[in-house]
Amino acid sequence: QVQLVESGGGLVQAGDSLRLSCAASGSFLRVDEMAWYRQTPGNQRELVANLGREGGTNYADSVKGRFTISRDNARNTVYLQLNSLKPEDTAVYYCNMKIARWVWRIPDDYWGQGTQVTVSS
């Protein structure tokens, strides 16, 4: 079994910062791409940022310059640093990892349980 556990959400004021963490545990060979998504009620989950195993990153336009994704491969952990938070950043944030469990199988998608980030104005 593979499990992703998130932490770090909360209630903050506009302009504040937060750091989200997501750690993978269980039996697997490696973690390829890591990513963060967010979702608000009634809307589809949207990509916030992703990070390849070799370091290439991609950010949603709405968070460029404010959020930073990083990873610790030794700890199978992905982080999202959220700076200069705005009320429109309020959402449930989900981590996603593409994890290879067997040599003969392409990596599968795994999701964290979600963590609420609420930004008050």
Side-chain angles (χ1 to χ4, degrees):
Q1 288 283 3
V2 175
Q3 188 176 18
L4 272 59
V5 178
E6 300 181 30
S7 61
L11 171 63
V12 297
Q13 294 187 328
D16 285 351
S17 297
L18 278 175
R19 190 191 195 207
L20 308 182
S21 301
C22 173
S25 62
S27 177
F28 51 87
L29 296 177
R30 71 179 187 278
V31 181
D32 289 345
E33 184 181 284
M34 296 179 172
W36 287 94
Y37 288 73
R38 66 186 181 187
Q39 188 171 25
T40 54
N43 293 308
Q44 288 190 333
R45 200 169 291 187
E46 64 171 1
L47 176 68
V48 175
N50 59 17
L51 174 56
R53 185 170 180 83
E54 303 306 319
T57 58
N58 179 50
Y59 292 93
D61 288 342
S62 59
V63 307
K64 282 181 182 175
R66 299 188 299 121
F67 293 7
T68 302
I69 188 171
S70 61
R71 64 190 287 168
D72 183 337
N73 288 331
R75 291 183 167 83
N76 296 309
T77 299
V78 62
Y79 305 97
L80 187 67
Q81 179 68 39
L82 299 77
N83 295 331
S84 303
L85 281 160
K86 305 175 180 180
E88 51 264 43
D89 295 318
T90 296
V92 177
Y93 284 70
Y94 296 90
C95 63
N96 168 267
M97 297 188 189
K98 299 190 186 306
I99 296 178
R101 297 192 65 193
W102 299 282
V103 174
W104 62 85
R105 183 182 171 91
I106 63 173
D108 291 312
D109 272 318
Y110 290 87
W111 293 90
Q113 80 279 13
T115 186
Q116 177 71 46
V117 172
T118 303
V119 185
S120 63
S121 57

